[in-house]
Amino acid sequence: MNPANELYDFSGKVILITGAAGAIGSEAARQFAMHGANVALTDINEEKVKAVAAKIEKESDRECIGIRADATNDSDLKSLVEQVVAKFGKISGLINNVGWGKATPLWGSDTEAMVASYKLNTISAYNVTKYCMPYLRKEPNASVVFSGSMVGVTPSPEFIEYSTAKAGLINMAHSMAVASGPEVRFNVVVIGSVDNGDATLEAGYDPAMLKKISDAIVMKRRGTPADIAHAFVFLMSNAASWITGINLMVDGGGMYESKMPS
């Protein structure tokens, strides 16, 4: 039986993380580097992603690079993968973390907005995964992890664009898992309500909504970026080498409201 430090040793691994300038992506990059991986971070915000990569490299003493790429631009994603391979010679794992969606009433969307959300949250993950696959197939215990969302597995009429795209992402990940057999593992972290700082407020939440959510969560708090990063590390590690095609719920136990009268 391998001790825990060996199961979670990422020495010699190269992990690519999209959406890496944000709270969850940057924390995931830091965690992988601290476990010994070389990390490639990408985001549409070039200045921020390069700064995050430089900071993690200094803290961890692992090689980290920040690359600008628009996740909705196919040529950007192809170039991204080529740059990572040119730098490190391989890709051992991919965290598809790009994703965002604002509050939109059920009947308040239109074709353009629905398609734009699908391109950002679902098609982007398909394209970057496709370009990584030739390299992932060469690696032992290769793994792809997707940032899912609770709105993708529960009725969420308040976020119709985002929830529909995330539902598609989850189904796509399962299809990739069954088609890839023992070569590459595919799993989804279904993320509950997480404190992403300004991004949470930009999505349309206000303090009253956030308090209501926190009070309803079984663990009585919203998640942190580190809570999600730990799940990414587990699913990418040797400890999860026989796990593929699952939705790992990381949501503080979910939201519960008693059926009894108050």
Side-chain angles (χ1 to χ4, degrees):
M1 182 178 295
N2 293 330
N5 61 332
E6 290 183 12
L7 291 172
Y8 289 92
D9 183 6
F10 284 85
S11 300
K13 302 285 188 181
V14 175
I15 309 299
L16 171 58
I17 303 175
T18 69
I24 291 175
S26 59
E27 178 59 22
R30 190 183 74 83
Q31 291 281 343
F32 279 109
M34 291 299 182
H35 282 284
N38 295 322
V39 186
L41 300 82
T42 183
D43 199 278
I44 197 169
N45 187 328
E46 183 174 20
E47 181 179 357
K48 189 173 181 181
V49 78
K50 287 184 179 295
V52 170
K55 184 172 187 272
I56 293 172
E57 183 171 86
K58 184 177 180 180
E59 291 175 348
S60 67
D61 200 30
R62 305 304 305 169
E63 285 194 276
C64 298
I65 57 172
I67 302 171
R68 184 207 176 272
D70 180 348
T72 64
N73 186 303
D74 191 54
S75 61
D76 273 16
L77 295 179
K78 185 175 182 181
S79 174
L80 164 68
V81 173
E82 291 170 349
Q83 289 179 68
V84 175
V85 174
K87 169 67 175 177
F88 294 114
K90 62 183 178 180
I91 297 174
S92 312
L94 168 65
I95 303 289
N96 275 308
N97 181 58
V98 163
W100 189 81
K102 66 182 185 298
T104 308
L106 177 60
W107 307 121
S109 188
D110 54 34
T111 299
E112 184 178 358
M114 292 289 282
V115 170
S117 183
Y118 187 63
K119 285 177 66 177
L120 175 64
N121 292 289
T122 311
I123 295 176
S124 67
Y126 172 81
N127 284 330
V128 72
T129 303
K130 176 177 68 176
Y131 292 130
C132 287
M133 280 300 287
Y135 307 101
L136 291 169
R137 288 190 179 105
K138 299 176 183 178
E139 293 293 299
N141 193 37
S143 176
V144 179
V145 179
F146 299 82
S147 284
S149 172
M150 285 300 298
V151 302
V153 297
T154 59
S156 302
E158 305 90 348
F159 290 86
I160 192 62
E161 298 159 4
Y162 183 59
S163 63
T164 301
K166 283 297 188 180
L169 178 77
I170 291 169
N171 185 276
M172 182 180 75
H174 291 181
S175 294
M176 290 175 174
V178 300
S180 300
E183 287 187 314
V184 181
R185 299 184 297 107
F186 293 85
N187 293 293
V188 180
V189 174
V190 179
I191 301 171
S193 182
V194 172
D195 185 354
N196 281 332
D198 291 342
T200 300
L201 300 177
E202 290 168 3
Y205 290 94
D206 61 35
M209 291 171 66
L210 296 176
K211 184 180 187 306
K212 183 176 181 180
I213 290 170
S214 295
D215 290 346
I217 292 173
V218 171
M219 295 296 290
K220 299 303 179 188
R221 71 170 176 87
R222 296 170 65 224
T224 67
D227 290 323
I228 309 307
H230 294 155
F232 289 162
V233 169
F234 166 67
L235 287 174
M236 195 74 74
S237 75
N238 287 325
S241 62
W242 204 50
I243 298 175
T244 194
I246 72 159
N247 294 342
L248 178 59
M249 314 298 282
V250 184
D251 61 354
M255 297 173 69
Y256 173 75
E257 186 175 349
S258 174
K259 310 300 186 295
M260 300 301 291
S262 57

